[in-house]
Amino acid sequence: MDQVGGAMASSLTLGSTDDTMYCHLCSNVRASAYCVNCSIYLCPTCEAHHKKYPTFKDHQLLSGKKMPSFYPQGHGTSTDDLKKCKDHPHEEIKFFCASHNAVYCCICNTTKHNGCQQKYIPDICKDYVKSEEYKNLTAHFQSTDKTTTNCLQDIDMCINKVDQLSSSQIDKLRKFKALIIAYLDQREKELLQEIKLNRDNDIAVLQKLQTSIKTIKSDLSTELANMKKHEENSNDLFIATKRAKALLDKLKASLEDITIRTKYREYDLQRDPLVETLLKNKDGMAHFVTSPGNMN
């Protein structure tokens, strides 16, 4: 049997012009019977199959002039989405296959579930709301819904924990940064003080030598002028010269000593190897150690 009966039914909502009705399950095959329970027309072959299945043994079949001369409402027109067959949207779901746990229409019943444990839904759904299956399924839905509610609460709690953790770690990082800056500022202050101390000490020594040189220079000028002053008197010039020579020897000795001591200390800032390593390490300042969070 060809799977086009539903399509034919969808194009005809009333009987044909010669009142000929066609099988819902076959293509262009005249119907010989009408199933009141299934609301479908059947050709002789489909009628024989219909009678053969125990599922349909109690179905009422009309034949001949007893058949309706029009396609009943619900076949060939769309029904609500719940009752629509997913494979044949113009057909209504009326059968259940226990083998595949599937619900389907009369076309699927013949074409896909021919050898399955088929059941006619109107026959098995009486008082279904009181059945254990429905009660258990409802209980499972409620249990699952409770689980989703708890899961949502856990996720909300985790989001709050994540926000709190983020804020605390930012605060911790900034405090650590402040400590580093405070340490660097203090160390800079100490190094600047050391530079100033070195400068002041060296300048003090050099300025003292400078003063001594100026004194020697002044003494030289004075003695030279004194000798010049006594050039008219050889006796006085001789005495002045001998005294000046003794002073000159003394001044020369002092000058040699000053020349030796005229120097300063060289110093150069050497960066700490640990700091150098820190600067080269992209994670040197700090890093995070991750672990699974605990919601409790």
Side-chain angles (χ1 to χ4, degrees):
M1 291 180 290
D2 298 325
Q3 185 183 335
V4 293
M8 179 190 297
S10 67
S11 64
L12 297 172
T13 57
L14 298 175
S16 59
T17 55
D18 59 357
D19 291 330
T20 300
M21 309 310 293
Y22 293 90
C23 179
H24 272 90
L25 307 180
C26 301
S27 176
N28 297 323
V29 179
R30 182 175 294 181
S32 62
Y34 175 77
C35 178
V36 176
N37 302 79
C38 297
S39 300
I40 59 173
Y41 288 96
L42 302 168
C43 67
T45 302
C46 292
E47 181 183 0
H49 280 285
H50 207 70
K51 291 178 179 179
K52 182 177 67 175
Y53 287 106
T55 303
F56 312 129
K57 66 179 180 178
D58 296 326
H59 285 200
Q60 181 183 1
L61 295 177
L62 303 178
S63 59
K65 294 183 178 181
K66 293 182 179 181
M67 289 191 303
S69 59
F70 58 89
Y71 291 99
Q73 186 69 25
H75 281 279
T77 58
S78 61
T79 181
D80 61 88
D81 289 339
L82 177 65
K83 295 181 180 180
K84 284 182 180 180
C85 176
K86 66 176 183 178
D87 294 326
H88 309 95
H90 295 289
E91 294 295 333
E92 185 177 339
I93 294 174
K94 290 192 175 183
F95 301 97
F96 170 71
C97 174
S99 302
H100 297 94
N101 192 33
V103 291
Y104 45 87
C105 69
C106 57
I107 297 177
C108 296
N109 176 57
T110 304
T111 59
K112 292 185 177 181
H113 300 274
N114 199 5
C116 298
Q117 300 178 22
Q118 302 176 3
K119 294 184 179 181
Y120 185 57
I121 292 177
D123 293 340
I124 64 173
C125 69
K126 296 177 182 178
D127 294 328
Y128 184 71
V129 70
K130 298 179 181 180
S131 66
E132 287 298 319
E133 181 183 37
Y134 181 71
K135 292 179 181 179
N136 290 337
L137 184 60
T138 301
H140 283 308
F141 266 95
Q142 292 172 343
S143 174
T144 303
D145 182 65
K146 183 177 180 181
T147 300
T148 59
T149 300
N150 293 337
C151 186
L152 285 173
Q153 292 175 347
D154 289 344
I155 291 173
D156 287 340
M157 185 180 298
C158 283
I159 290 174
N160 291 333
K161 291 286 188 181
V162 168
D163 284 338
Q164 293 172 6
L165 178 62
S166 174
S167 298
S168 67
Q169 292 302 307
I170 290 174
D171 184 60
K172 185 176 181 180
L173 175 60
R174 286 176 176 167
K175 287 181 178 178
F176 184 47
K177 176 185 174 183
L179 286 175
I180 293 174
I181 292 174
Y183 168 79
L184 292 176
D185 287 343
Q186 178 62 31
R187 192 69 186 113
E188 179 189 36
K189 181 179 179 181
E190 292 170 354
L191 290 171
L192 288 173
Q193 184 64 32
E194 187 174 346
I195 291 172
K196 183 177 183 302
L197 182 62
N198 288 336
R199 176 189 178 280
D200 290 349
N201 288 339
D202 286 346
I203 290 296
V205 170
L206 291 172
Q207 285 179 341
K208 187 175 181 180
L209 293 175
Q210 188 180 54
T211 299
S212 297
I213 290 294
K214 288 180 179 180
T215 300
I216 291 174
K217 188 173 180 62
S218 177
D219 290 344
L220 288 172
S221 297
T222 300
E223 289 302 318
L224 182 60
N226 188 47
M227 286 190 300
K228 290 288 186 180
K229 184 176 67 174
H230 294 289
E231 286 181 350
E232 299 292 331
N233 186 324
S234 296
N235 184 58
D236 292 340
L237 177 62
F238 181 81
I239 295 171
T241 299
K242 294 302 180 182
R243 287 181 176 179
K245 184 177 183 305
L247 179 61
L248 179 62
D249 291 339
K250 184 179 180 181
L251 292 177
K252 287 176 65 177
S254 297
L255 184 59
E256 289 178 358
D257 179 64
I258 291 173
T259 302
I260 293 173
R261 292 191 293 142
T262 302
K263 61 182 65 175
Y264 62 93
R265 291 174 297 172
E266 288 279 357
Y267 57 92
D268 183 53
L269 182 69
Q270 298 293 318
R271 297 197 290 196
D272 192 299
L274 291 177
V275 178
E276 288 290 341
T277 302
L278 175 68
L279 293 174
K280 292 177 181 179
N281 185 352
K282 65 177 183 178
D283 298 325
M285 177 180 174
H287 65 278
F288 294 103
V289 178
T290 59
S291 61
N294 188 350
M295 293 186 296
N296 297 327

